[in-house]
């Protein structure tokens, strides 16, 4: 079979800890690999040169999109897969990917990242997130200086929703498994770029959402809530891919500060628009926090019947665990046992993924 006509584009700066393993995992799939270095002072470029087809230099201008777009401009292929150095590809179904590229030449591809999370002393599990990272550079490019997004090149078509497909690619992301101090420094850097972006972007809702995410780490709930609320006030399009995440983040922040009624009202207001497993699971969690156990149970069970339930990642373990707890609290031992086996299966899956993540770190 001919070489896969895809170029993997990676931007890097001082990533010697991750980049070798990242690139090793890509080599078996026959894709061109380009690394754009933005000013490393460690061995990043040296390691990258061992595996990548090209290592190019890009002078850092406080703009991740500019770096990604430059990297894509150096590619030999039009189809671009954008990855980060701390993202490791475990598997790609090349046959299915070829079919999707041929069938949907103007679609983008969404990566379902397994984001490894860290507990008090060690890895805790993983959270899935769906992020557009695959595109044809004839039609799309990246925009936003930070938390960059794939957008149409044709500005006159920017209001048209972008069709996408789920990539048959299994990727584990280590970027959330950081110690508290490293994470705080990362978020402080992000905030600097986000406040600059706020001055020039038309979709301020998205930027306020990302500001809230960073403030949650650096300043706490109250500052984050203020940013999230401004985000909802400034949503450009309710269909924006970030909108349900913004609503859920605000609801969780309300609940964690004792404002459970505000959280419920918010989730219920938008529930008809977002019929997804993640949204239903978040609503169930808010009901759980407000001691509405029967309604929480109904929604947790609903999650387990939804086509996209796998989007929850290891949170499915919590979902099954709470179903069991509620049934046991009501004396429904048989029903609890019915879900116990599913809990064990998903917990074992979580442990395998976490153990694999630990191996990659060593």
């Amino acid at each position: 079979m001919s070489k896969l006509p895809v170029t993997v584009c990676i931007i890097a700066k001082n990533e010697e800890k991750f980049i070798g393993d990242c690139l090793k995992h890509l080599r078996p799939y026959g894709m061109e690999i380009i690394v754009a270095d933005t000013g490393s002072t460690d061995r990043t470029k040296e390691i990258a040169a061992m595996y990548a087809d090209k290592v190019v230099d890009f002078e850092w201008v406080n703009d991740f999109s500019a770096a990604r777009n430059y990297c894509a401009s150096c590619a030999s292929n039009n189809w671009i897969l954008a990855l980060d150095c701390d993202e490791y590809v475990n598997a790609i179904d090349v046959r299915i990917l070829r079919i999707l590229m041929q069938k949907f030449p103007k679609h983008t591809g969404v990566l379902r990242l397994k984001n490894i999370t860290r507990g008090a002393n060690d890895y805790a599990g993983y959270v899935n997130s769906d992020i557009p990272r695959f595109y044809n550079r004839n039609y799309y490019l990246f925009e936003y200086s930070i938390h960059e997004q794939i957008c149409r090149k044709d500005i006159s078509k920017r209001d048209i929703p972008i069709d996408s497909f789920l990539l048959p690619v299994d990727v584990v992301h280590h970027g959330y498994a950081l110690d508290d101090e490293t994470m705080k420094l990362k978020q402080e850097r992000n905030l600097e770029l986000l406040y600059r972006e706020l001055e020039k972007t038309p979709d301020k809702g998205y930027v306020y959402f990302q500001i809230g995410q960073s403030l949650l780490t650096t300043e706490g709930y109250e500052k984050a809530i203020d940013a999230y609320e401004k985000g909802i006030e400034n949503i450009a399009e309710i269909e924006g891919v970030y909108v349900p995440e913004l609503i859920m983040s605000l609801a969780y922040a309300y609940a964690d500060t004792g404002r459970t009624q505000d959280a419920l009202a918010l989730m219920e207001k938008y529930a008809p628009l977002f019929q997804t497993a993640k949204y239903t699971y978040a609503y169930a969690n808010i009901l759980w926090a407000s001691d509405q156990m029967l309604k929480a149970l109904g929604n947790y069970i609903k999650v387990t019947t939804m086509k996209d339930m796998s989007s929850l990642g290891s949170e499915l373990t919590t979902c099954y665990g709470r179903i069991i707890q509620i049934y046991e609290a009501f004396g429904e031992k048989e029903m609890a046992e019915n879900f116990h086996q599913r809990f064990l299966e998903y917990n074992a899956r979580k442990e395998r993924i976490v153990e694999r993540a630990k191996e990659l770190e060593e």
Side-chain angles (χ1 to χ4, degrees):
M1 185 174 287
S2 62
K3 188 176 181 180
L4 190 64
V6 172
T7 297
V8 181
C9 289
I10 299 171
I11 59 174
K13 182 178 181 181
N14 295 335
E15 293 283 0
E16 65 179 6
K17 177 180 179 181
F18 293 111
I19 195 165
D21 282 322
C22 173
L23 299 180
K24 285 178 191 175
H25 283 74
L26 290 168
R27 288 302 295 270
Y29 299 102
M31 298 180 290
E32 181 183 46
I33 302 171
I34 299 179
V35 174
D37 187 85
T38 62
S40 293
T41 56
D42 63 2
R43 296 181 59 243
T44 295
K45 289 178 67 176
E46 176 187 342
I47 297 170
M50 297 168 60
Y51 304 101
D53 296 280
K54 297 179 189 176
V55 179
V56 297
D57 291 308
F58 179 79
E59 183 178 353
W60 181 240
V61 291
N62 291 320
D63 191 325
F64 284 92
S65 285
R68 289 205 189 273
N69 292 333
Y70 175 75
C71 191
S73 74
C74 299
S76 302
N77 302 298
N78 288 322
W79 280 101
I80 306 297
L81 174 62
L83 291 178
D84 289 336
C85 294
D86 55 4
E87 296 169 353
Y88 301 159
V89 171
N90 284 333
I92 300 176
D93 191 324
V94 174
R95 184 182 66 84
I96 296 299
L97 182 56
R98 285 181 184 275
I99 292 171
L100 290 168
M101 291 164 60
Q102 293 167 5
K103 187 175 182 180
F104 304 111
K106 294 187 178 181
H107 282 42
T108 60
V110 173
L111 268 184
R112 178 159 290 168
L113 290 176
K114 293 182 175 71
N115 302 289
I116 301 299
T117 57
R118 190 181 290 275
N121 301 308
D122 202 352
Y123 292 130
Y126 69 97
V127 178
N128 281 352
S129 59
D130 291 352
I131 303 176
R133 289 284 195 84
F134 187 68
Y135 63 100
N136 188 314
R137 66 179 180 180
N138 288 323
Y139 311 114
Y140 302 100
L141 79 171
F142 277 100
E143 290 202 349
Y144 295 102
S145 60
I146 186 158
H147 297 300
E148 56 277 20
Q149 298 285 295
I150 294 173
C151 298
R152 294 183 187 275
K153 276 190 169 182
D154 187 341
I155 297 176
S156 68
K157 296 181 179 179
R158 286 284 172 89
D159 293 336
I160 302 173
I162 297 174
D163 292 319
S164 61
F165 52 78
L166 186 64
L167 287 168
V169 181
D170 182 24
V171 180
V172 175
H173 175 222
H174 288 252
Y176 292 165
L178 303 174
D179 62 80
D180 291 344
E181 183 59 28
T182 303
M183 178 61 81
K184 184 175 181 180
L185 290 172
K186 179 179 179 179
Q187 296 303 336
E188 287 173 348
R189 177 211 65 185
N190 289 355
L191 281 167
E192 182 180 349
L193 295 177
L194 285 165
Y195 285 124
R196 290 180 190 172
E197 188 67 46
L198 195 60
E199 298 173 2
K200 60 183 181 181
T201 181
D203 190 354
K204 298 186 186 300
Y206 174 71
V207 181
Y208 273 122
F209 163 56
Q210 296 295 353
I211 288 172
Q213 299 290 74
S214 291
L215 286 174
L216 195 61
T217 300
T218 59
E219 300 288 342
Y221 287 112
E222 294 302 330
K223 292 287 185 66
I225 285 172
D226 182 60
Y228 292 145
E229 289 177 338
K230 287 178 180 176
I232 289 179
E233 292 170 6
N234 287 275
I235 291 172
E237 295 179 14
I238 199 66
E239 295 85 5
V241 293
Y242 72 91
V243 175
E245 289 289 341
L246 167 59
I247 293 164
M248 289 185 286
S249 296
L250 178 55
Y252 279 132
Y254 280 155
D256 287 337
T257 53
R259 297 170 59 181
T260 53
Q261 291 307 308
D262 290 334
L264 283 170
L266 180 68
M267 293 296 291
E268 288 166 358
K269 177 180 178 180
Y270 291 97
L273 296 176
F274 305 116
Q275 298 292 319
T276 65
K278 274 196 170 184
Y279 197 92
T280 305
Y281 174 71
Y283 180 43
N285 287 339
I286 301 300
L287 289 164
W288 169 279
S290 61
D291 294 325
Q292 297 187 45
M293 293 304 168
L294 284 177
K295 288 185 71 175
L297 175 63
N299 281 277
Y300 284 132
I301 292 174
K302 181 180 178 181
V303 168
T304 69
T305 68
M306 300 178 81
K307 292 181 179 179
D308 64 335
M309 70 174 187
S310 63
S311 66
L312 267 68
S314 65
E315 289 176 310
L316 266 175
T317 306
T318 302
C319 183
Y320 283 122
R322 288 187 171 173
I323 291 171
I324 293 166
Q325 283 180 262
I326 296 171
Y327 272 132
E328 287 181 340
F330 284 100
E332 298 286 348
K333 301 295 184 182
E334 185 176 347
M335 292 300 297
E337 185 58 33
N338 287 340
F339 283 92
H340 186 65
Q341 186 59 41
R342 297 191 218 179
F343 168 83
L344 292 176
E345 290 172 1
Y346 276 92
N347 194 56
R349 183 180 301 180
K350 180 192 79 171
E351 293 301 322
R352 287 195 297 270
I353 291 169
V354 169
E355 285 302 314
R356 178 59 176 154
K358 288 180 182 178
E359 291 172 4
L360 292 171
E361 281 279 273
E362 295 172 354

